[in-house]
Amino acid sequence: MEHNIFSLIGENLQEFFKFTGFANATVGHLIMIPIGLLFIYLAIKKDWEPMLLVPIGFGIVIGNIPLFPGLNVGVYEEGSVLNILYQGVQKGWYPPLIFLGIGAMTDFSALISNPKLMLIGAAAQFGIFGAYAIALAIGFSPAEAGAIGIIGGADGPTAIFLSSRLAPDLMGAIAVSAYSYMALVPVIQPPIMRLLTTHKERVMKMRPPRAVSQTEKKLFPIIGFLLTAFIVPSGLPLLGMLFFGNLLKESGVTRRLAETARGPLIDVITILIGVTVGCSTQADKFLQWSSVKIFILGAGSFVIATTAGVLFVKFFNLFLKEGNKINPLIGNAGVSAVPDSARVSNNVGLEYDNRNYLLMHAMGPNVAGVIGSAVAAGILLGFLS
Amino acid sequence: MKKALKIFFLLGVLCSAVSLQAQNMGDMRLNEILVTNTDDFEDDFGHKNGWIELFNTSYGTVDIAGCYLTDDPGNLKKYMIPKGDILTKIKPRQHILFWADNQPFRGTFHINFDLANADEILFVSSDGRTVIDRIKVPADMPENISYGRTDDGIGAHDGSAEGWQTMERTSPSTNNTDMYGESKAARLEKADPYGALMAFTAMSVVFLALILLYLIFKNVGNYSIRKSKQRESRATGTPVSSAKVSAAGSSSHEPSAEVYAAIATAMHLYREDSETHDIENTILTIHKVSKSYSPWSSKIYTLRETPQLKRK
């Protein structure tokens, strides 16, 4: 009798063991969990985009806990809690909500006061199409290449939105790649900026931006939306929400709505998008050669975008009068990692002249980059979906 | 009160527009018909009959329950599509097939007339009056040859044959055009294997959008500067031409934003030096006030009176 009880307990424990993570762990899980922990480390210790890397890093850890199949808890198991939260990524409705918040927190004054900076935001989108061409050359389909290329737009929500439509299978790798390189902007961009500029160009002083009237600020989201949405209607969810958020901010009569959009709403969505994108990097889906290629292409697209931005400013300066010229160090800010790439412009500028503050000027191309990448996403969606 | 009424009116208009959109039967089209079926597809009962195919041209689900199919313009309510069948909800860009076998008791999708003598087929809205789509059946249609729209849902809906043709093969409940044709992306891949065309086109569009925005805001900015100059000259009484605008957009005698920033910083530092500022900059700290007694925190006032038992 006693023997039977012990054997029963033993059998139960053995059965229970089958359900534990220890029994179901694979090499893939053991690789992905440290990657998640590395993200958390970089966020906490190095302060690299902590708002993004902490949720994504922890999401990677959550998504790579080895599971006994059929428990209905995994992110890819239909109806599970994580799967329901993941719908916002899959169906693409988290990114427009993030854009609403971005619009409500963005001050377009720098751009309005010096509208020619918009063209730098357009030039930096070369990164998207450079990466698109390379991705095609190494064997990705046009839809996949478009989704990978958008990493060069340096806009996490846009990358998620586009990849959820063009290449859902690659979304995890694309999103993690986009956010990782956004965090690495201070590492990637400065060497390229130094390489492509002369000392004289780096210390170039720019004219201070003029004061922008409230009417101009109110008109910007309305005109900006009508124009861009008519040209690229497929970018409607992103452009509509971006400019709507900005109108909430600038209208002056919807302060509470603007505060909600740029505060609690964007925080909630950032948490959900970060964790669920992290979860989606489940080892069996993520650890593939295509992910490695995506990471390499992502780095390439950032390099191309930065190069294109800086070189475009130098080219543009050929046509500008003395006194109106633009410091090429703000060319990198067309990569729309707001406000990191603008901060990089400022920091590199200060290295060479500690009184040359470029932040306000760099914010112009930076926010133009957000518009440019949303427009580019709309074009890719229109061509490739 | 008037404001509230206006809001309710707007909401009412909005809601009615939304509900109209949700029930948009007008997006349904007659898409293909087969008059005589002797050697084509069979229905679920194993019979070969003519059929009528409808197509939902919209990108939303349309419920066609309560609508009518007829071959008689004088009797628009000949066959009412039954209500309560979940299958009458047609998904976006999908087809639905009605067997014209004159056997309505076989189910929702078996209508009460056949097409042997039909001159015209009409699809009528649930109001029984509005004809949504109609098509004249060509005379002497050969057996097992269908008549349909060249491209799903495209063409006339007033009875004329625009967009209709005799089909090479029947395609009940599926696309009339070759559904295995090349996708847009596949065509692009063939035409532009290196992505150069795509890059050029897309970058041109991005530049176009931002150049237009630049031009608009350049003019808006110039207008704004001119207006502020005019306002300023009115306030100071100087003529507009003499109030020269500086690069920063303000008049030359007005201090620039940088000057204001420098003054603000100097004042801030002065206040900091003179110790009027708190230790932690920009953080409001609440110092604890040590007071041993306050009626607000006194428990005496918050307690009930102790009940006392009175005995005689």
Side-chain angles (χ1 to χ4, degrees):
Chain A
M1 183 69 185
E2 207 171 88
H3 172 76
N4 285 344
I5 288 172
F6 281 121
S7 68
L8 196 67
I9 292 171
E11 276 171 25
N12 278 350
L13 284 175
Q14 221 169 358
E15 194 65 26
F16 173 73
F17 183 72
K18 281 185 197 166
F19 285 93
T20 63
F22 299 106
N24 294 292
T26 61
V27 180
H29 293 122
L30 299 179
I31 294 172
M32 287 307 294
I33 290 174
I35 291 176
L37 296 176
L38 176 71
F39 272 49
I40 297 170
Y41 169 80
L42 291 175
I44 297 172
K45 211 67 183 165
K46 304 275 179 188
D47 203 28
W48 285 357
E49 295 277 358
M51 304 286 185
L52 299 171
L53 292 194
V54 168
I56 292 177
F58 205 76
I60 293 174
V61 177
I62 294 174
N64 284 285
I65 297 297
L67 295 172
F68 185 82
L71 290 178
N72 208 23
V73 289
V75 74
Y76 292 110
E77 291 181 310
E78 207 171 312
S80 72
V81 174
L82 287 175
N83 182 262
I84 290 167
L85 296 178
Y86 189 52
Q87 294 301 310
V89 175
Q90 260 185 332
K91 304 277 178 201
W93 51 267
Y94 285 157
L97 289 176
I98 296 250
F99 260 60
L100 179 72
I102 292 173
M105 63 171 71
T106 304
D107 186 355
F108 284 102
S109 304
L111 196 61
I112 301 168
S113 71
N114 194 358
K116 63 175 175 283
L117 298 178
M118 284 182 202
L119 303 182
I120 307 172
Q125 308 313 318
F126 270 115
I128 295 176
F129 300 102
Y132 168 79
I134 299 170
L136 272 185
I138 62 172
F140 284 102
S141 71
E144 289 171 337
I148 295 167
I150 202 72
I151 297 172
D155 213 323
T158 311
I160 291 171
F161 180 76
L162 197 69
S163 54
S164 69
R165 275 158 171 70
L166 295 183
D169 290 345
L170 303 180
M171 189 168 55
I174 289 171
V176 171
S177 172
Y179 280 118
S180 307
Y181 289 124
M182 279 162 66
L184 288 171
V185 155
V187 180
I188 298 171
Q189 290 193 324
I192 302 168
M193 294 157 69
R194 289 191 196 104
L195 185 73
L196 298 173
T197 51
T198 61
H199 186 269
K200 192 182 163 196
E201 285 170 334
R202 287 177 219 141
V203 295
M204 186 188 289
K205 288 237 168 34
M206 286 177 70
R207 192 181 268 188
R210 70 175 171 85
V212 173
S213 72
Q214 207 53 41
T215 313
E216 285 175 272
K217 286 186 182 180
K218 283 173 196 160
L219 282 175
F220 185 79
I222 297 169
I223 297 173
F225 170 67
L226 286 172
L227 189 76
T228 51
F230 266 84
I231 293 174
V232 195
S234 45
L236 199 63
L238 297 177
L239 292 165
M241 286 302 194
L242 176 74
F243 287 117
F244 172 53
N246 192 245
L247 184 63
L248 290 180
K249 174 181 180 286
E250 302 298 357
S251 69
V253 289
T254 51
R255 193 173 53 85
R256 271 170 45 203
L257 301 186
E259 275 171 8
T260 304
R262 67 171 164 250
L265 180 69
I266 199 167
D267 288 349
V268 168
I269 303 295
T270 304
I271 291 169
L272 294 176
I273 207 169
V275 172
T276 51
V277 162
C279 286
S280 71
T281 62
Q282 216 167 277
D284 54 333
K285 315 259 179 206
F286 189 78
L287 284 178
Q288 292 166 5
W289 272 115
S290 60
S291 302
V292 177
K293 288 181 192 167
I294 288 167
F295 264 78
I296 295 168
L297 286 167
S301 66
F302 265 68
V303 171
I304 297 169
T306 309
T307 307
V310 175
L311 290 181
F312 178 78
V313 176
K314 289 171 69 124
F315 173 72
F316 199 26
N317 275 342
L318 298 176
F319 305 96
L320 297 175
K321 285 183 210 152
E322 204 59 50
N324 273 342
K325 288 194 190 291
I326 303 167
N327 188 321
L329 287 182
I330 69 167
N332 73 300
V335 174
S336 59
V338 182
D340 286 9
S341 48
R343 216 181 286 150
V344 168
S345 307
N346 191 52
N347 292 346
V348 177
L350 287 175
E351 276 176 29
Y352 294 93
D353 179 354
N354 60 9
R355 292 180 63 192
N356 195 8
Y357 292 92
L358 294 170
L359 188 65
M360 269 308 281
H361 304 290
M363 280 310 288
N366 211 190
V367 292
V370 177
I371 302 171
S373 59
V375 171
I379 297 165
L380 287 169
L381 202 59
F383 274 111
L384 302 172
S385 64
Chain B
M1 190 60 192
K2 268 186 180 175
K3 200 175 172 184
L5 276 174
K6 272 184 196 169
I7 290 169
F8 279 120
F9 174 73
L10 282 172
L11 281 175
V13 170
L14 198 67
C15 289
S16 58
V18 168
S19 61
L20 278 176
Q21 196 63 30
Q23 293 296 319
N24 214 344
M25 297 156 184
D27 289 323
M28 294 301 298
R29 290 286 177 271
L30 292 163
N31 202 50
E32 190 178 352
I33 52 171
L34 178 66
V35 177
T36 315
N37 179 0
T38 56
D39 194 24
D40 207 69
F41 295 101
E42 293 175 353
D43 66 10
D44 292 345
F45 296 88
H47 299 295
K48 293 184 173 76
N49 286 297
W51 41 259
I52 301 167
E53 183 193 68
L54 295 176
F55 178 65
N56 177 5
T57 59
S58 76
Y59 288 86
T61 299
V62 175
D63 190 355
I64 56 168
C67 294
Y68 300 89
L69 277 168
T70 179
D71 60 350
D72 180 4
N75 178 13
L76 293 180
K77 294 183 177 179
K78 192 162 185 177
Y79 177 73
M80 188 185 87
I81 299 166
K83 294 177 180 172
D85 188 339
I86 194 168
L87 298 173
T88 59
K89 290 186 171 67
I90 317 300
K91 294 276 183 194
R93 311 289 298 169
Q94 297 303 306
H95 309 77
I96 193 77
L97 198 74
F98 288 89
W99 292 96
D101 53 3
N102 199 14
Q103 305 282 353
F105 50 85
R106 284 184 178 166
T108 304
F109 301 103
H110 292 261
I111 59 178
N112 58 358
F113 57 91
D114 60 41
L115 304 180
N117 301 312
D119 295 325
E120 189 174 18
I121 295 165
L122 299 97
F123 177 64
V124 182
S125 172
S126 56
D127 63 10
R129 296 185 304 275
T130 314
V131 176
I132 295 170
D133 195 6
R134 63 201 303 168
I135 185 65
K136 289 235 184 291
V137 181
D140 303 325
M141 276 296 292
E143 286 180 0
N144 306 314
I145 298 289
S146 65
Y147 184 58
R149 293 180 187 272
T150 313
D151 291 309
D152 290 329
I154 308 289
H157 54 105
D158 56 359
S160 70
E162 187 206 325
W164 286 75
Q165 66 172 42
T166 306
M167 308 301 285
E168 282 178 27
R169 59 175 178 276
T170 58
S171 55
S173 296
T174 187
N175 304 57
N176 292 358
T177 40
D178 184 5
M179 61 189 293
Y180 301 106
E182 278 183 318
S183 67
K184 207 163 42 169
R187 283 200 299 272
L188 187 75
E189 192 174 15
K190 226 178 241 180
D192 182 27
Y194 303 109
L197 196 67
M198 172 74 164
F200 178 76
T201 318
M203 282 307 293
S204 306
V205 177
V206 173
F207 265 101
L208 172 75
L210 291 172
I211 285 173
L212 285 175
L213 210 54
Y214 155 65
L215 291 174
I216 292 172
F217 274 90
K218 193 178 173 220
N219 288 312
V220 169
N222 287 343
Y223 177 76
S224 174
I225 292 170
R226 224 170 24 246
K227 286 300 265 185
S228 72
K229 209 167 86 175
Q230 279 171 358
R231 270 199 302 272
E232 195 184 317
S233 67
R234 266 203 301 274
T236 55
T238 51
V240 177
S241 55
S242 66
K244 202 174 178 180
V245 173
S246 74
S250 52
S251 64
S252 55
H253 57 266
E254 191 185 310
S256 71
E258 283 176 329
V259 174
Y260 285 128
I263 294 169
T265 312
M267 285 175 71
H268 177 77
L269 290 172
Y270 169 75
R271 285 172 65 84
E272 207 166 51
D273 289 346
S274 57
E275 291 181 355
T276 49
H277 204 276
D278 203 348
I279 298 166
E280 292 176 275
N281 289 333
T282 69
I283 294 175
L284 182 67
T285 49
I286 300 169
H287 293 291
K288 191 182 175 190
V289 179
S290 55
K291 204 173 183 184
S292 54
Y293 171 76
S294 162
W296 297 105
S297 59
S298 171
K299 285 185 181 165
I300 297 166
Y301 292 98
T302 60
L303 288 175
R304 286 183 181 184
E305 201 178 339
T306 313
Q308 288 177 358
L309 186 64
K310 289 183 180 173
R311 294 174 193 275
K312 285 187 180 177

